[in-house]
Amino acid sequence: MKIDTTDAKIVRLFTEHPRMSVLEASRQLGVARATVQARLDKLIDGGAISSLSPRLDPTKFGYSVSAFVSVRVEQGAGHANLGEFLAGIPEVTEVHTVSGDFDVFCRVVATSNADLQRVLDRIAAHPTPVRTSSSLVLTTHFENRALPAFEAAAEHPA
């Protein structure tokens, strides 16, 4: 998808002020309301913006523990059915099939270390994992940081 600096300014504005109206954005950017709306529609339809839903912070509703879990899967078992299984565990917030020593990489949240053990046991209950490895998150410096890459793409189109 081809984007430009106007797209980047619109996305930054809505990233920093997600409750802003399209009319207010047009005023702040000095462009027509229809321009802002058309650009947003283009970015949403093209998949560059995947969601306008709120970003949730699990620590604010009881999940103070966060961990990354690597899962090695039994060879030949496939990843799709494990992904579907993991989607049924509310504390699993991300799942990625990866290359390397492990096959699947997950981010999980828990209310305590004991609760993390419960989540890990639930992951291990599926028949395909042969090994898991966990790393507790001590500090998050940033996450979900796609805006700088989006702005760079606008400045240096491919």
Side-chain angles (χ1 to χ4, degrees):
M1 163 177 285
K2 188 171 172 93
I3 58 170
D4 62 21
T5 56
T6 300
D7 294 326
K9 289 175 185 175
I10 290 168
V11 170
R12 174 167 286 284
L13 192 58
F14 279 99
T15 299
E16 293 173 350
H17 308 283
R19 294 171 50 170
M20 178 176 285
S21 71
V22 171
L23 180 59
E24 181 58 28
S26 71
R27 287 182 185 141
Q28 288 194 25
L29 296 170
V31 298
R33 188 205 63 76
T35 299
V36 173
Q37 188 64 61
R39 297 292 186 105
L40 282 173
D41 291 344
K42 173 190 81 166
L43 294 167
I44 291 167
D45 293 345
I49 297 175
S50 60
S51 174
L52 295 176
S53 61
R55 283 198 49 203
L56 301 174
D57 182 351
T59 64
K60 304 299 185 204
F61 46 93
Y63 292 95
S64 59
V65 175
S66 182
F68 289 99
V69 179
S70 299
V71 182
R72 184 171 296 143
V73 175
E74 181 180 321
Q75 293 300 305
H79 306 115
N81 98 4
L82 177 60
E84 291 171 16
F85 175 79
L86 295 172
I89 302 174
E91 297 85 0
V92 177
T93 62
E94 294 179 42
V95 175
H96 308 272
T97 298
V98 297
S99 63
D101 291 336
F102 288 88
D103 303 300
V104 175
F105 191 70
C106 311
R107 184 166 190 168
V108 302
V109 295
T111 59
S112 64
N113 286 350
D115 189 45
L116 176 60
Q117 183 62 60
R118 177 191 61 79
V119 175
L120 295 173
D121 289 345
R122 191 154 173 211
I123 292 169
H126 190 272
T128 60
V130 293
R131 181 170 183 261
T132 64
S133 175
S134 305
S135 297
L136 287 174
V137 174
L138 301 176
T139 302
T140 299
H141 299 278
F142 58 83
E143 60 187 351
N144 298 320
R145 193 182 98 124
L147 184 59
F150 185 84
E151 290 172 330
E155 293 171 10
H156 309 287

